[in-house]
Amino acid sequence: MRHVRFRHVTATVIATAASLAAYALAGPASAADTPIVIKFSHVVAANTPKGLAADKFKELAEKYTDGKVKVEVYPNSQLYKDKEELEALQLGAVQMLAPSNSKFGPIGIKEFEVFDLPYILPDLATLRKVTDGPLGAKLLKLLEPKGMIGLAYWDNGFKQMSANKKLVDPADYKGLKFRIQSSKVLDAQFRTLGVIPQVMAFSEVYQALQTGVVDGQENTPSNIYTQKMHEVQKYITLTNHGYIGYVVVVNKKFWDGLPPDLRAACEKAMTEATAYGNGQSAKENDDALEEIRKSGKSELVKLTPAQDEAMRKAMQPVYKDVAGRVGQPLIDEFLKETRGTTN
């Protein structure tokens, strides 16, 4: 199966390369007739914050380039699953993605996993200090040696815990199997709680919950609702313990090869799509929680202050576990921005 996928990706790369070569040889006159295609692949539903932002980028990029750039958006893992998409981007089979921060660790850029640390981001305003500041810019620079350019940070929101068991105390998690993204930080987080973590593609989570392959998962309300996870989970505990965000990345060779005027127009479109998408994030998550509540299929559980504090204390050892992986100086720099203290 792996060889089949590789042949498929390679064939697509060859076709893409041939197309770009033809465009380069044809010259400016032909360029006006044949739009440059940006394939934008992602793994979530179109009606999520990421999906809405991707569609907005398509709309604006095509508008600002007068149709010289055409953006094809492929949601819901139509082209590639979690583990495949970054490889596809690096090979040139797609031009643009918006993977979660967790996805960069497995390809060697483990610094992005600092975003996965539990309770490190108290709110969106603090997050924006990081992503819009020097620290955010420094992290994006780490992508370039891997053949990609980071264009923007997109929000999904804060994560909640779900299971068929009410989770109000750290001890309630012991022995459960939880789906996680491929992240050493998330692995450490759940092992600290006594959970058995299972790395699994996002597109497979609903079925895994439905069939009992895993007992629970963590996600934002908009992802839980749009993937119908609440229909196969009895309880959703409102922990806000972690953050899911995305980095919009583009194939570096492709981006550098765009005519400067079209690249500038696409950058403008990305800036506006980012503001739009991040504005939608909080609303989409609030709306999703209300829809879940109205459905009556999953009970929303709110922690007391004492229960919340117990969860924070239980997660504290994760910081020491992860320091050797992402680097204590980076954690300290992050905490200086988010709290003004060290952990």
Side-chain angles (χ1 to χ4, degrees):
M1 182 61 73
R2 178 69 182 151
H3 296 303
V4 172
R5 167 58 67 189
F6 183 77
R7 286 199 298 272
H8 168 70
V9 171
T10 304
T12 311
V13 173
I14 292 169
T16 303
S19 173
L20 288 174
Y23 166 74
L25 291 170
S30 172
D33 301 325
T34 307
I36 297 171
V37 174
I38 297 176
K39 289 184 178 178
F40 192 154
S41 172
H42 66 81
V43 302
V44 299
N47 57 336
T48 57
K50 176 160 62 172
L52 293 169
D55 289 342
K56 178 60 74 172
F57 172 71
K58 168 185 168 64
E59 173 196 328
L60 295 175
E62 293 176 356
K63 174 184 173 184
Y64 293 152
T65 62
D66 294 321
K68 292 174 185 172
V69 168
K70 180 185 177 186
V71 181
E72 297 176 354
V73 180
Y74 297 91
N76 264 330
S77 306
Q78 286 177 12
L79 290 184
Y80 301 102
K81 294 183 180 180
D82 293 307
K83 289 182 180 179
E84 304 162 344
E85 60 176 8
L86 277 169
E87 179 189 22
L89 181 90
Q90 289 173 306
L91 291 171
V94 293
Q95 288 71 49
M96 193 172 286
L97 305 171
S100 64
N101 295 308
S102 306
K103 305 283 176 54
F104 296 103
I107 66 163
I109 316 173
K110 55 190 181 297
E111 290 86 351
F112 278 91
E113 291 182 354
V114 71
F115 285 98
D116 288 338
L117 280 166
Y119 298 107
I120 197 166
L121 289 160
D123 51 49
L124 288 174
T126 307
L127 165 73
R128 206 63 66 224
K129 279 177 60 182
V130 173
T131 57
D132 293 354
L135 181 53
K138 183 168 83 171
L139 288 170
L140 291 182
K141 276 288 180 188
L142 300 175
L143 298 166
E144 295 190 19
K146 297 292 184 180
M148 61 188 93
I149 290 175
L151 298 178
Y153 290 95
W154 284 1
D155 293 343
N156 186 324
F158 288 93
K159 294 184 286 188
Q160 321 303 333
M161 299 285 198
S162 79
N164 286 323
K165 172 184 180 182
K166 192 176 283 192
L167 304 171
V168 295
D169 184 88
D172 296 332
Y173 292 81
K174 193 165 184 180
L176 297 181
K177 290 178 291 183
F178 260 62
R179 176 267 174 174
I180 65 165
Q181 297 187 69
S182 181
S183 162
K184 297 292 185 185
V185 178
L186 297 179
D187 185 89
Q189 169 188 288
F190 280 107
R191 289 190 188 282
T192 299
L193 291 171
V195 166
I196 304 161
Q198 307 278 317
V199 175
M200 184 179 295
F202 182 73
S203 58
E204 298 168 6
V205 179
Y206 174 87
Q207 187 175 11
L209 293 169
Q210 185 183 43
T211 57
V213 171
V214 292
D215 301 306
Q217 60 84 50
E218 57 167 13
N219 237 304
T220 60
S222 67
N223 277 353
I224 292 171
Y225 179 67
T226 56
Q227 296 294 316
K228 300 183 178 179
M229 296 178 198
H230 65 291
E231 296 183 0
V232 288
Q233 296 275 266
K234 291 180 182 175
Y235 301 100
I236 297 170
T237 304
L238 305 178
T239 51
N240 288 313
H241 64 281
Y243 166 78
I244 296 182
Y246 310 111
V247 181
V248 184
V249 289
V250 65
N251 178 282
K252 186 177 188 301
K253 189 174 180 181
F254 171 81
W255 198 247
D256 289 344
L258 283 176
D261 60 327
L262 297 187
R263 188 166 59 245
C266 287
E267 285 170 350
K268 179 184 178 185
M270 181 57 65
T271 299
E272 293 181 19
T274 298
Y276 169 79
N278 288 349
Q280 288 290 309
S281 175
K283 179 182 183 303
E284 291 291 317
N285 282 309
D286 287 346
D287 289 350
L289 277 179
E290 184 54 32
E291 290 301 321
I292 291 169
R293 184 180 285 109
K294 279 167 31 181
S295 78
K297 294 181 177 179
S298 192
E299 181 184 335
L300 298 178
V301 180
K302 186 168 182 179
L303 297 179
T304 66
Q307 289 166 340
D308 179 70
E309 184 55 35
M311 282 295 294
R312 290 171 184 271
K313 196 170 289 186
M315 299 276 208
Q316 205 64 27
V318 180
Y319 283 74
K320 288 181 182 175
D321 288 348
V322 170
R325 179 171 173 80
V326 304
Q328 189 63 48
L330 176 62
I331 294 176
D332 290 341
E333 190 176 356
F334 210 94
L335 287 169
K336 186 178 177 185
E337 289 293 325
T338 61
R339 300 181 193 173
T341 60
T342 57
N343 231 19

